[in-house]
Amino acid sequence: MLRQPTKKIPLIFYRTRRGNEPVRDWVRRLDPPDRLAGGQDLILASERFGIMSKQHHGSSLDSLLQEEGVFEETQALAVKEVVVWQLTEAMAKQSLTKARLAVLLKTSRSQVDRLLDPTRDVTLSTLQRAAALVGRKLRIELV
């Protein structure tokens, strides 16, 4: 079964009648690791509880990340996290352990740990080989 592409849901900050954006201000005060975790929580909350009325629409999370100079880095990490999640789910579906994947990839278990760590860089060929071993294909596109 083909999986539909993930829909990008824009996160819009709440704006008071006076024009303040208290949630955005709070996010800006967080340390970078907390800011990333908080941003992910905000996205999940917006997906779960729906969109607020247009009257209270403020700026977007994307614009905040761009202003902070971390938009590309944050987006790259999000893509890596999705790929790692998909690979982990496919491994679980096949009852494939990290140790067994390492044997099939002809590499070490620590290399598989690096492959499944979204903060680490891996080569496309390694991702392609791992995807093939779990019955998936790696698809990359420029948009």
Side-chain angles (χ1 to χ4, degrees):
M1 177 167 102
L2 288 176
R3 204 175 156 166
Q4 293 297 319
T6 304
K7 177 182 168 187
K8 182 176 179 179
I9 298 175
L11 176 65
I12 306 296
F13 289 104
Y14 173 81
R15 181 178 288 157
T16 65
R17 288 186 180 144
R18 292 186 176 167
N20 299 327
E21 295 180 347
V23 176
R24 180 187 174 134
D25 294 340
W26 169 75
V27 169
R28 290 187 89 148
R29 290 191 302 267
L30 295 174
D31 292 328
D34 292 335
R35 189 177 306 152
L36 178 60
Q40 291 169 340
D41 289 344
L42 289 170
I43 290 169
L44 290 174
S46 71
E47 290 173 355
R48 183 172 185 192
F49 299 113
I51 306 294
M52 69 185 108
S53 70
K54 296 258 186 218
Q55 167 188 351
H56 295 292
H57 276 197
S59 57
S60 69
L61 178 60
D62 286 357
S63 68
L64 172 64
L65 295 172
Q66 288 167 346
E67 286 174 22
E68 296 288 320
V70 295
F71 179 76
E72 288 80 13
E73 176 186 345
T74 305
Q75 194 167 33
L77 180 60
V79 168
K80 289 178 188 179
E81 286 180 351
V82 168
V83 169
V84 166
W85 174 77
Q86 289 173 331
L87 188 55
T88 305
E89 288 292 306
M91 288 171 60
K93 199 178 250 186
Q94 295 184 13
S95 301
L96 187 62
T97 65
K98 291 179 184 180
R100 181 69 183 140
L101 183 61
V103 169
L104 294 171
L105 287 171
K106 298 179 181 155
T107 190
S108 67
R109 163 69 193 271
S110 60
Q111 184 64 28
V112 170
D113 286 336
R114 286 189 284 279
L115 170 67
L116 298 175
D117 180 352
T119 64
R120 304 291 297 263
D121 289 330
V122 297
T123 64
L124 290 177
S125 61
T126 301
L127 279 174
Q128 285 176 317
R129 289 177 32 229
L133 288 171
V134 296
R136 304 287 294 268
K137 289 183 181 182
L138 181 66
R139 183 177 55 190
I140 309 262
E141 60 184 84
L142 298 175
V143 251

